[in-house]
Amino acid sequence: NDRPNILLIMTDQQRGDALGIEGHPVLQTPNLDVLASSGVRFGRAYSTCPVCIPARRSLMTGQTPATHGMVGYQADAEWHPPATLPGVLRDAGYETAIVGRCMHTYPFRKRFGFDHMTISGGPNDDYRHWLDQRAPEGANGPRGAGIHVSSWVARPWHMDEHLHYTNWTIKQALRFFQTRDPSCPFFLVVSLIAPHPPFNPPAFYFDRYLRQPVHEPVIGDWAEPPPDGGKGVSIESHHVNLTGEALRSCRAGYYGLINHLDDMISLLFKGTAGGCDHRSLANTVVAFTSDHGEMLGDHYMFRKQRAFEGSARIPLLLRAFPEVKLDIEPGHVADQPVCLEDIMPTLLDIAGVDTPSSVEGRSLVPLLRGGGAQPKWRSYLHGECIPFEHYLTDGKEKYIWNPSDGRELLFDLATDPTELHDLSGDEPRIAPWRKRLIDELRDRPEGFTDGHQLIAGRPRSPLLPHA
């Protein structure tokens, strides 16, 4: 078949800077680094609603949160998208499959265009069924060590490494390569739960990062610590002050999960006794991304949903194996603002499949080479997430507005990539950004603006009325 295969690898809650090739001081991701150096890395990729369900809806449909209607976390919400990435590829003759973490679609087993689903994260969980047949007595499942799924508390995985969720996911991907239909191209989503909490990597990886120097959080001159230094704060809190052993173990768990998944991903590329070999990825395009990031203690914050770089910026890599006729400059780093909505039109473009009119994202194919005249691109991205901030960024600056209290922040990402210094007092500089957000929110049902100013304190819901 002259159409390329497509492999989309997606992690959960991985920061954009959580790659060795980004210059991370301790984290090792050698396989993802090779993927980046042999393909293209998008250094300003963002999640426009940095929490799991709306982010994945944007990836699946190429639509902004305001269009598909989910602008915050809302579980068990029915969804009837006009077109999905797997659905369009299936209709074009692709065999479509997902293994690992579900896409948080509802109902849980609704396929949305996937021919095959071996998934976890809902009722009748394939991983839990597999694990229950193999786990030692008393293990009490993947959360049997008592660590909460939204907590900064960390400890090593409490069972044999081969039973870890990441290992199972990669095993299911290898099985797909063995059993797929060779007469048509494939679209496979390998969806990993790591590095989403619980922070429980296998002991080897946890110990590796406990031995490393503590990578301290960045704290902006605008950031406010939690009351009483964070003592007694819930382990699920967004507002934390991680220090000492709590910080060390939290980061060891997070980095350990990423290092572990990086090692496991190598099995997809380098061949294993399980049956995957280089021929499995012949004529294949590989994309790698995450749904959102993790604040990890930066600016006294933990978890996701925030407009700041740790939460909103994500990794995005694209590589084509030699048989694919795609003009990529290996090692190129694109600095245009891109987002999850761009993945669907990009992969459809590469597959030679028409993009549905419902898609709002843009194909990234024109950005795959550096040098020379660059294509005209979007001026900025708009992101939001109930109950927190709206943001705008062009990749060089970022404007943030909190619709609860009206607070504004402005950062120069070119000189201050970790958002240490708030420039919102510079009115000539912030005023154009404020006007852009007013224009962006002009027709929103919440009443965020009267067309002249932003209005804080308006009632909000994770689901817009049309959703």
Side-chain angles (χ1 to χ4, degrees), residues 56-57 60-61 76-87 90 96-124 126 467:
R56 290 166 188 262
R57 288 190 176 192
M60 287 275 282
T61 62
D76 301 342
E78 287 277 5
W79 187 39
H80 305 283
T84 66
L85 175 56
R90 177 203 58 198
T96 60
I98 179 171
V99 298
R101 185 162 184 65
C102 68
M103 280 294 188
H104 285 291
T105 50
Y106 183 81
F108 176 60
R109 288 286 176 182
K110 187 173 179 179
R111 291 179 295 158
F112 289 95
F114 287 113
D115 295 317
H116 316 291
M117 302 173 74
T118 305
I119 53 175
S120 180
N124 194 19
D126 292 325

Side-chain angles (χ1 to χ4, degrees), residues 47-384:
S47 179
T48 50
C49 190
V51 69
C52 47
I53 302 178
R56 290 166 188 262
R57 288 190 176 192
S58 288
L59 182 146
M60 287 275 282
T61 62
Q63 294 183 328
T64 66
T67 296
H68 62 62
M70 186 176 281
V71 293
Y73 181 87
Q74 177 66 58
D76 301 342
E78 287 277 5
W79 187 39
H80 305 283
T84 66
L85 175 56
V88 174
L89 288 172
R90 177 203 58 198
D91 293 345
Y94 276 73
E95 182 180 12
T96 60
I98 179 171
V99 298
R101 185 162 184 65
C102 68
M103 280 294 188
H104 285 291
T105 50
Y106 183 81
F108 176 60
R109 288 286 176 182
K110 187 173 179 179
R111 291 179 295 158
F112 289 95
F114 287 113
D115 295 317
H116 316 291
M117 302 173 74
T118 305
I119 53 175
S120 180
N124 194 19
D125 185 309
D126 292 325
Y127 170 60
R128 185 60 188 265
H129 177 70
W130 177 91
L131 182 65
D132 287 347
Q133 296 176 327
R134 294 162 176 81
E137 186 175 354
N140 296 322
R143 301 177 189 172
I147 308 177
H148 195 275
V149 294
S150 296
S151 167
W152 45 261
V153 176
R155 58 149 291 165
W157 177 245
H158 63 296
M159 290 180 274
D160 289 343
E161 184 173 332
H162 75 278
L163 299 176
H164 197 276
Y165 185 94
T166 295
N167 296 61
W168 173 79
T169 301
I170 299 301
K171 182 185 290 289
Q172 302 312 308
L174 296 176
R175 182 174 177 273
F176 172 81
F177 289 131
Q178 293 175 321
T179 59
R180 77 175 187 89
D181 180 353
S183 69
C184 63
F186 69 78
F187 171 59
L188 173 64
V189 178
V190 179
S191 180
L192 296 147
I193 195 171
H196 189 294
F199 292 157
N200 57 355
F204 170 84
Y205 298 94
F206 191 71
D207 293 345
R208 166 177 279 175
Y209 292 98
L210 285 179
R211 297 193 300 266
Q212 300 295 321
V214 176
H215 180 212
E216 296 289 341
V218 294
I219 305 295
D221 56 16
W222 50 271
E224 300 175 356
D228 197 23
K231 296 177 183 177
V233 170
S234 167
I235 58 174
E236 301 173 52
S237 176
H238 289 268
H239 201 187
V240 300
N241 184 16
L242 296 180
T243 60
E245 177 61 25
L247 173 65
R248 179 184 293 277
S249 60
C250 169
R251 295 206 165 206
Y254 185 75
Y255 299 150
L257 284 171
I258 296 172
N259 196 167
H260 176 221
L261 73 84
D262 182 87
D263 283 351
M264 290 295 99
I265 284 172
S266 73
L267 302 182
L268 299 178
F269 302 132
K270 297 182 179 179
T272 74
C276 181
D277 58 31
H278 291 292
R279 291 171 296 177
S280 298
L281 293 181
N283 193 35
T284 298
V285 170
V286 180
F288 175 87
T289 193
S290 194
D291 53 354
H292 51 76
E294 161 60 61
M295 290 304 297
L296 209 62
D298 286 351
H299 311 302
Y300 302 115
M301 298 177 192
F302 186 73
R303 300 174 65 186
K304 56 258 187 171
Q305 296 178 273
R306 308 308 296 258
F308 306 98
E309 291 290 278
S311 167
R313 190 166 80 87
I314 54 175
L316 179 55
L317 314 175
L318 187 70
R319 183 238 173 128
F321 281 79
E323 300 85 358
V324 181
K325 306 304 180 187
L326 192 60
D327 191 18
I328 289 179
E329 179 183 338
H332 173 51
V333 180
D335 61 2
Q336 293 89 345
V338 303
C339 57
L340 290 171
E341 291 89 318
D342 297 330
I343 290 177
M344 179 174 177
T346 300
L347 298 181
L348 294 180
D349 189 359
I350 291 171
V353 177
D354 290 340
T355 298
S357 59
S358 58
V359 170
E360 295 170 292
R362 299 182 59 177
S363 171
L364 302 176
V365 169
L367 306 183
L368 299 183
R369 295 194 63 82
Q374 291 295 296
K376 182 177 175 58
W377 196 247
R378 60 171 63 96
S379 300
Y380 60 85
L381 284 171
H382 169 231
E384 60 182 306

